[in-house]
Amino acid sequence: MDLEELRRRALRVHDLYDELNLQEHGRVWTREEFMLGFMGDAGDLAKLILAQEGVRSDRPDSRAALEHELADCLWSVLILAHRYGIDLESAFVRTMEDLEKSISARLDR
């Protein structure tokens, strides 16, 4: 699956969440609420990474839980990019090019 296919799949789930939230709460999530959801997922991911490394024992350290949280975080990033009208593929390419140049210049010193 390429990035565009991932984006389309993420948007289908986003639309389902909108439908569910309208049904259950009478409104959809704002961009700010999506960001807060992402922060919660990132926190859960951090705890799972710590469990994987043996630093925490109060969280499940299963590979499935880690995969799930990584996928949740990717979903959130794809949705936030969509909600802010960002071409994530182009932004990623530009950012990686900038980082490669910056890091290479520092290594050449």
Side-chain angles (χ1 to χ4, degrees):
M1 204 177 264
D2 66 14
L3 186 59
E4 181 56 27
E5 290 170 307
L6 292 173
R7 189 187 73 76
R8 282 194 304 268
R9 185 79 184 265
L11 289 175
R12 282 197 306 272
V13 172
H14 169 275
D15 292 345
L16 287 171
Y17 268 125
D18 276 357
E19 189 177 328
L20 180 64
N21 283 322
L22 275 172
Q23 180 180 317
E24 292 183 347
H25 305 290
R27 67 180 190 82
V28 299
W29 276 20
T30 64
R31 294 186 299 188
E32 295 89 346
E33 288 168 315
F34 273 105
M35 184 62 216
L36 289 172
F38 174 60
M39 295 305 298
D41 289 338
D44 290 342
L45 177 61
K47 292 172 188 173
L48 287 167
I49 294 290
L50 291 174
Q52 287 285 313
E53 298 303 320
V55 177
R56 287 183 70 119
S57 59
D58 62 331
R59 299 283 301 185
D61 63 353
S62 74
R63 180 124 182 126
L66 182 59
E67 289 173 355
H68 176 89
E69 284 309 322
L70 283 166
D72 274 351
C73 287
L74 177 58
W75 179 81
S76 293
V77 169
L78 291 167
I79 295 305
L80 286 166
H82 168 75
R83 297 287 298 256
Y84 281 93
I86 292 170
D87 178 346
L88 194 55
E89 186 171 3
S90 295
F92 183 84
V93 169
R94 278 192 314 275
T95 300
M96 292 304 107
E97 287 171 353
D98 291 346
L99 288 171
E100 286 173 352
K101 288 176 190 171
S102 174
I103 294 167
S104 294
R106 290 176 64 188
L107 287 170
D108 290 341
R109 287 188 212 163

